[in-house]
Structures are given as structure tokens and as C-alpha cells.
Amino acid sequence: MHDAVWMNANLATMVGGYGVIEDAALAVTGGRISWVGARNEWRHSARAEHDARGAWILPGFVDCHTHLVHAGNRAHEFELRLKGATYEEIAKAGGGIVSTVQATRAASEDELVVSAQKRLRQWRVEGTAVVEVKSGYGLDRDTELRMLRAARRLTGVKVQTTFLGAHAVPAEFKGRADAYIDFVCDEVLPAAVAEKLVDAVDVFCERIAFTRAQTTRVFDAAKRLGLPVKLHADQLSDLGGAGLAAKYHALSADHLEHTSESGVEAMARAGTTAVLLPGAFYFLHETKLPPISALRRHGVPIALATDNNPGSSPLCSPLLAMNMACTLFRLTPEEALAGFTINGARALGIHATYGTLELGKAADFVLWDIESPGELAYAMGANPCLEVISRG
Ligand code: DI6
Ligand code: FE
């Protein structure tokens, strides 16, 4: 006896592409998917039977790269950029990440929870099951930990937390980036891990952030603590970030606009997922496209994410992120949906439980009022979500 079954549904299971099963039944028991298949093969019974009325059911979305917990916003920098300043110039002039750091340090844990929970509403109504949240706007021990605690208190989605202490050099370490990396590796990361606040470790490897050598030191510290790594790689320049991520068997390398073919090959060999972030590309008026055809050719799984953050991607919509990936990066709608389901789950190392409609996976799925799954990436600013099912 199953707990509940949904009849009269069309499924995009996202197994091997859309993985369509028309006129399907989908059952759940104990918070897990307990049966999935064509309705005419369902020979069981369930305590509750729901009529999906021809809706499409897809796995809940996985947004695998966000900076959702932060204080303040940077609308004024948006204005500056439109008057001609570049993102790098603003960052060098003490704006950028460092200004969000000031606001975040001044915010209490409760304030961080309230503002992030408010933003998270849009992810929930668009059918999101999992959101990754990074630290990195504290850059001191207490604020980094406070951000991670706040992230863990968010409700309505499963949260995966990533430690990004190496996001920028804070003012008090100005000109002493190596000393800051020592502090991150020796004090902040171990304290966060001791409180069990860290699922993965990330670094911003970039001309305006940290070098390869500094990234390596953070990755070695993560390895000693038994944590998987991810990397902000090759966003503004090719520092060989993708290859470095692959060397550490990173879960993902993210951004990748400037990644070379050899970086892509290394990712393929290492099983590292590519995370593309069309929101930042769009918002920063970037023109260099990530190496999509090389990623396809080498079979690197492509995930997509919002990169929600106040500086380079104030994007609050997984659905819009998918549309942008199709228009800006020429992903197909099928690839875009895989990017926000199975490959998003891969980028977090949780694909055994999330990302497809398969037996045994978490019963987190969404009913959509659409005629074909590709519509979700096609429409701009629509939200045909009918119902979000969380753990059955
Ligand atoms: N890459 C980005 O695009 C963001 N962080 C990062 O590592 C920018 C964050 C910000 O400007 O606040
Ligand atoms: Fe980011």
C-alpha cells in the first residue's frame, strides 16, 4: 500500500533527457517515490489518490549556486555601471563585494534569515526543492558562521551550504591576501566545520580575488577536513580554474566563460560538473560565451543556477535563468531543464536523492500547467506552477 498516488499526469522524469512518460502514475511512500510508470500498468493501491488532470510533473528544481544570504543591495552600483564604470573598477574602488560585506557584518542572524527567507519565496513558488547557499559576505569568523547558520535556518526548501570564506580580501587584510588565506584555512573553515555548517568549500579564483596558489591552499584545507570542493572558475579571465577544479575532483566548476578546451577535457576526466550562470553573464554585459560545444563534445554535465547575489546577478527566478541560458548560451530547453534538475543535483553531489523522478528518490516534485516541458524554458516571466509537492 502506497501513501499517495498521482494519476492522469504527464511526467518529464529527466532521466536521459526529458524522459517523458505520458498518461502516467506517480506514487510516494514515506517521503520517497515508490512507483513511477504508465497509468495502465499501475496495479496497486494508495491511501490517497490525486487527479493531476493532465498536468505535467517534473522533479523539483535544484538551484546549485546562490549567494542568497546577504544584507543590503547594490542598486546604486547598477546605476554607476550604466554610467560607464566596470564591475572590476567598482570592486577596485572599494565597492562591490566589500560593500555587501559591511552590510552583512552589521546584520544579525535573525535579520539575515528574514531577508533571505523573503527572497526565497520566489524560488518556492517556481517549484524549487533544493537551494545551495554560500557564505562569503562575512570574511570574518563570526559573520561567516552567522551566514551559514542563517542559511541552515531557511525553510521550505532543502538547503545545502557552501563555505566561501575565500570570496574577497576584507579591508583589514588589504594587501595581505596570503595572510587572509591562512586565517580562512586555520580559523574560519575549521570553526564552521566544527559546527557542522559546511557541505562543500568554494573559492573565487580570479584576478580580482584569489590566485591559483591561494585556491590550492583552501582546497588542501578542505581535503584535510574531508569536504568536497567547488570553484568560481574563469569568469572574467582564464586562470586555468577549470583544470584546477578538476585536479581536486571538484563537484563543480562554475561560470567558465573563459575556460579553454583543455580545461573542459580535464573536467570531463574528473567527472566535474559545469555550472553555467547566465544571470551574471547578462547583468555584467559579458560577451565571451562559455565553451558550450566543448562541454557537449566531452560529455561534461551542464548545470544551471541563478547565482543570486547583489552584485553580479540579482536574479531571483530559476525559470527566467533557464530562458536566459537558452537565449544567451543557446542551450536547448531540454538541456536547461536538465541543468536545473539532475545536473544541478550532480553539482551538489546529491543526485542519488534529487533531480529526477525515479524510484527511491525524494518525493519533491511539481505540477505544471503546460502542454510540453520545453514551455518552462520558453516563456519569459510566466509561472505556470500549479502545486509543489514536498516529500509527498
Ligand atoms: N562571482 C560573482 O559573480 C559574484 N561572486 C563571485 O564570486 C559576485 C559577488 C558580488 O559582486 O557581490
Ligand atoms: Fe557566485
Side-chain angles (χ1 to χ4, degrees), residues 123-318:
W123 278 257
R124 297 181 61 194
V125 300
E126 290 188 11
T128 308
V130 183
V131 174
E132 183 252 23
V133 179
K134 300 177 194 295
S135 71
Y137 287 119
L139 312 181
D140 63 24
R141 200 187 64 165
D142 289 354
T143 315
E144 286 293 305
L145 266 57
R146 196 158 72 246
M147 287 184 74
L148 295 169
R149 286 187 210 114
R152 288 279 170 97
R153 282 175 53 191
L154 298 174
T155 57
V157 296
K158 175 182 169 65
V159 171
Q160 291 283 114
T161 50
T162 299
F163 176 79
L164 180 59
H167 192 194
V169 179
E172 61 275 20
F173 280 91
K174 197 160 196 259
R176 294 189 298 130
D178 280 311
Y180 178 64
I181 291 292
D182 285 340
F183 170 67
V184 163
C185 295
D186 299 344
E187 288 190 42
V188 193
L189 178 57
V193 172
E195 254 190 66
K196 299 200 180 352
L197 292 171
V198 185
D199 295 315
V201 175
D202 193 351
V203 175
F204 190 13
C205 181
E206 192 56 65
R207 282 195 310 244
I208 56 166
F210 296 98
T211 64
R212 289 171 56 93
Q214 289 159 347
T215 301
T216 299
R217 286 166 57 210
V218 178
F219 279 5
D220 285 336
K223 212 164 146 189
R224 282 194 296 276
L225 293 162
L227 290 167
V229 298
K230 309 168 75 67
L231 190 64
H232 280 72
D234 310 329
Q235 179 188 4
L236 308 169
S237 59
D238 184 9
L239 288 193
L244 181 57
K247 189 171 157 207
Y248 281 81
H249 294 274
L251 288 173
S252 70
D254 303 32
H255 285 289
L256 303 178
E257 279 82 347
H258 293 263
T259 296
S260 65
E261 173 118 15
S262 63
V264 173
E265 279 166 10
M267 287 175 65
R269 280 194 300 274
T272 295
T273 294
V275 178
L276 303 185
L277 305 167
F281 180 90
Y282 165 87
F283 199 69
L284 299 180
H285 302 271
E286 296 291 344
T287 51
K288 177 101 171 66
L289 288 167
I292 310 286
S293 61
L295 292 169
R296 285 184 181 132
R297 213 165 345 100
H298 292 285
V300 175
I302 301 175
L304 285 179
T306 61
D307 194 16
N308 175 271
N309 76 73
S312 67
S313 183
L315 173 57
C316 306
S317 166

Side-chain angles (χ1 to χ4, degrees), residues 108-119 150 153-154:
S108 69
E109 185 179 314
D110 285 351
E111 286 166 344
L112 292 175
V113 173
V114 168
S115 65
Q117 191 71 52
K118 198 160 98 184
R119 277 191 283 278
R153 282 175 53 191
L154 298 174

